[in-house]
Amino acid sequence: MNQAGRRHEKRAGDRAGYRAGGRAGAVALLLAGAMALTACGAGSGSDGTPDLSSGSRKGQSSTGGGQPAPDAVAPETGRSAAPEGDAESGASAAPDVKAPDYLSTFALDVDTASYGYARRTLGDGRLPAAEDVRPEEFVNSFRQGYERPEGNGFSVNVDGARIGSGTGGGGGTGASDWSLLRVGLATRTAPPASERPPAALTFVVDISGSMSETGRLDLVRKSLTILTDELRDDDSLSLVTFSNEAETRLPMTRVKGNRNRIKDVVAEMEPAQSTNVEAGITRGYEESVEGHREGATNRVVLLSDALANTGDTEAEGILRKIDSARREYGITLFGVGVGSDYGDAFIEQLTNKGDGNTTYVGDETQARKVFVDQLPAHLEIRARDAKAQVAFDRKNVQQFRLIGYENRKVADEDFRNDGVDGGEVGPGHTVTALYAVRLREGASGTVAKATVRWLDPKTRKAEEETGTVTTGSVDGTLWGGENDRLQVAAVAAYFADRLRGGDLPGAPGLGELASRAAGLAESTEDSAVEKLATAIGQADRLQRGAGTDDEPEPSEGEIG
């Protein structure tokens, strides 16, 4: 195994507990793709559970908050909670135990790299590592069809359905007691490409030895060549490469009159030695500051397999070195992952804390989708420091669990603390949070209220929007219902949960999930859902080959 591979293998072990348009607009994803959000959520609780404060994402300052801290527990333990007034709620509790928490708070996120990398891994005949599977990134990889707001900010869409027991195994006793709740947030669609601000993009390209594999540096060269033809004349571009050291190949250069020059520099990139991500990002931010343009969208774009093995190989240390440039100039980091062996957790840490997001490209089709087809959805900024909080009605809700988002936690009391970092959201973005919810017997009325809070990108004034869902809105049947997009989200979430060995109530086996995905691909006429069905089928065959035909059923009631 080469040095990069050994480093990746070691890091995978270290991070095992870390989680859970058209061509005219081609630059858009790179502009605000790095602006996109980070997301998280808090779980539910059980009576008598010791208080463990939730993790929080701190910003550059803290001004305090007014809401109680969540009574969170490790996801694997799970818990239920008694309603207000129940004598059992404090009968056997320790003196310092708080009332059960019914809040779930997270910073928004539209990362999709985990799903893209899982598809690549399955296509190569391997199951993805459990720690590389993030359900929220699987779900956010698919269109949801939410209503959109007329101005900046968000629309809030909340709905759901009864889960029932899957016929393919894994439903578990009592699964019919559970519902799937979907909280969907959406921003207004992008304006025409001609109306966006100019772009000043600094590309930081990994040319280490590991990038010589087919589908890595060759794919990066194709991607940048495609992008060069899509940039406007008033855009600017600089190019930094790194292996054991970093080198500026092209200072910030206006595209007009220089397209062939840019393409020549891109074509000259060849694999070299080791992977010093620290050197590359540091030089990239220096170039971005040097070429900073007022009134333009200034971004650093990292294209790498993220197998760091030289220099500082920890995300925190790297980000400290560029923190002042990041804060003073508002430069964000967008990560594009490549390669069959890919440092997924590492690049996600970099971009999350660098106010950005990640995606993954495994072939030229995916590269064109990222750099051309999806880019209009990532222009400008619709909202800054966006967070969401879901408040469950304790009279009607017995248990809830946020599916995924384990590494996106924000303390409940920091929801309205605008000094705590949220996420920047561009036009056309959607963010979906799915909850497994167990209602109390005889529940009637409000199930949950979802609130999203953000800062206006120009005035920095805080704004909020809310949406509420009642028991009548979650009484329908999930499978075979009229809401195809809700079913697609459910299939994606259950697929991810199966890949990482989870135990969601009512989760069908992989065979049934593949069948449902195939049916949904036909009814939605969505090629992305067809590819989802293919990926699930591949995973099913691989698991069966590994002797995992008999999937364990989760116990009734308590879930992680």
Side-chain angles (χ1 to χ4, degrees):
M1 180 182 295
N2 62 25
Q3 187 177 8
R6 288 194 297 271
R7 173 64 191 171
H8 178 63
E9 181 176 320
K10 177 182 182 297
R11 187 168 59 253
D14 293 342
R15 72 189 183 217
Y18 173 70
R19 338 233 181 263
R23 298 177 62 88
V27 72
L29 175 60
L30 297 178
L31 305 187
M35 315 178 223
L37 327 149
T38 49
C40 84
S44 61
S46 64
D47 302 329
T49 303
D51 173 42
L52 300 174
S53 60
S54 70
S56 62
R57 290 168 42 81
K58 293 294 183 183
Q60 298 156 17
S61 64
S62 179
T63 59
Q67 296 178 340
D71 179 19
V73 296
E76 63 271 15
T77 62
R79 58 189 183 172
S80 60
E84 290 180 311
D86 280 15
E88 63 178 298
S89 62
S92 60
D96 61 345
V97 172
K98 296 180 181 179
D101 174 51
Y102 272 72
L103 296 175
S104 174
T105 309
F106 53 92
L108 305 189
D109 179 37
V110 292
D111 284 359
T112 60
S114 176
Y115 174 64
Y117 184 43
R119 281 188 56 211
R120 166 65 186 265
T121 303
L122 290 166
D124 287 345
R126 298 178 290 119
L127 288 167
E131 64 268 19
D132 289 335
V133 176
R134 295 184 292 278
E136 67 273 18
E137 297 190 18
F138 280 53
V139 173
N140 283 328
S141 296
F142 299 93
R143 295 196 300 272
Q144 294 296 310
Y146 301 137
E147 292 185 6
R148 297 185 181 273
E150 295 181 358
N152 284 340
F154 297 87
S155 64
V156 181
N157 308 262
V158 192
D159 61 3
R162 290 281 183 176
I163 294 175
S165 296
T167 61
T173 305
S176 59
D177 295 340
W178 291 83
S179 296
L180 192 69
L181 187 71
R182 177 176 64 166
V183 177
L185 309 173
T187 56
R188 181 163 53 97
T189 54
S194 60
E195 297 180 11
R196 68 165 173 81
L201 304 175
T202 299
F203 291 91
V204 178
V205 179
D206 184 350
I207 60 167
S208 62
S210 61
M211 291 290 287
S212 62
E213 176 192 288
T214 300
R216 299 194 186 197
L217 186 57
D218 60 322
L219 189 56
V220 170
R221 285 193 292 258
K222 290 178 182 177
S223 299
L224 292 183
T225 299
I226 290 171
L227 181 66
T228 300
D229 286 329
E230 304 302 327
L231 291 171
R232 293 194 327 217
D233 285 348
D234 60 344
D235 294 328
S236 301
L237 181 150
S238 63
L239 180 64
V240 171
T241 60
F242 68 92
S243 54
N244 58 317
E245 296 180 345
E247 177 184 358
T248 300
R249 298 293 187 99
L250 184 73
M252 194 63 74
T253 303
R254 290 294 177 102
V255 172
K256 184 177 181 179
N258 290 299
R259 294 183 196 274
N260 290 335
R261 177 189 175 194
I262 294 170
K263 291 179 181 179
D264 288 343
V265 173
V266 169
E268 291 170 358
M269 295 188 300
E270 294 292 340
Q273 302 176 40
S274 54
T275 310
N276 192 335
V277 177
E278 173 198 2
I281 291 179
T282 301
R283 175 66 68 86
Y285 270 81
E286 291 172 352
E287 289 295 328
S288 186
V289 169
E290 180 70 22
H292 187 270
R293 293 174 58 184
E294 292 293 333
T297 303
N298 296 271
R299 299 286 176 265
V300 172
V301 183
L302 173 66
L303 299 100
S304 175
D305 59 14
L307 303 179
N309 57 16
T310 304
D312 195 333
T313 60
E314 301 299 327
E316 290 281 2
I318 294 172
L319 289 169
R320 277 196 298 269
K321 294 177 174 61
I322 52 91
D323 188 60
S324 60
R326 180 173 62 88
R327 287 184 296 152
E328 182 177 353
Y329 292 92
I331 299 168
T332 57
L333 181 63
F334 176 37
V336 181
V338 297
S340 58
D341 190 18
Y342 163 54
D344 176 62
F346 176 61
I347 200 168
E348 192 213 13
Q349 287 177 299
L350 280 173
T351 56
N352 281 350
K353 298 180 181 180
D355 299 325
N357 76 307
T358 63
T359 190
Y360 177 87
V361 295
D363 53 38
E364 188 170 354
T365 299
Q366 290 178 327
R368 188 169 293 276
K369 180 178 180 181
V370 168
F371 290 103
V372 178
D373 297 339
Q374 293 181 340
L375 296 182
H378 295 265
L379 283 166
E380 304 180 77
I381 295 178
R382 288 282 186 254
R384 291 186 181 275
D385 285 322
K387 309 183 192 82
Q389 185 170 84
V390 181
F392 291 89
D393 191 315
R394 67 181 66 236
K395 296 187 299 297
N396 290 318
V397 176
Q398 180 176 342
Q399 290 176 274
F400 69 89
R401 175 182 175 180
L402 176 60
I403 302 173
Y405 292 111
E406 289 87 357
N407 60 346
R408 302 293 198 267
K409 295 181 179 179
V410 171
D412 292 341
E413 70 270 22
D414 285 332
F415 176 60
R416 291 187 172 90
N417 179 357
D418 296 327
V420 171
D421 187 31
E424 284 66 52
V425 191
H429 278 125
T430 62
V431 179
T432 299
L434 293 178
Y435 290 86
V437 177
R438 192 176 196 181
L439 300 180
R440 299 187 186 279
E441 184 176 355
S444 179
T446 301
V447 175
K449 182 175 76 172
T451 304
V452 59
R453 180 181 176 88
W454 72 94
L455 303 182
D456 182 273
K458 295 181 180 179
T459 67
R460 299 299 179 105
K461 178 183 177 182
E463 300 183 30
E464 294 185 3
E465 189 66 49
T466 64
T468 302
V469 64
T470 64
T471 52
S473 298
V474 298
D475 278 343
T477 301
L478 173 61
W479 305 120
E482 296 180 356
N483 196 328
D484 286 347
R485 289 297 171 183
L486 175 59
Q487 294 179 65
V488 169
V491 168
Y494 285 137
F495 176 36
D497 192 65
R498 285 291 183 190
L499 287 176
R500 62 179 191 169
D503 59 355
L504 285 173
L510 288 175
E512 182 181 341
L513 284 174
S515 177
R516 292 196 181 280
L520 289 165
E522 183 176 349
S523 62
T524 61
E525 298 181 344
D526 188 340
S527 61
V529 182
E530 184 177 356
K531 293 174 182 176
L532 173 63
T534 299
I536 298 173
Q538 291 169 332
D540 186 30
R541 289 189 292 274
L542 287 168
Q543 285 201 351
R544 289 179 182 278
T548 56
D549 291 331
D550 298 323
E551 301 176 61
E553 294 188 354
S555 60
E556 179 180 1
E558 297 288 327
I559 61 172

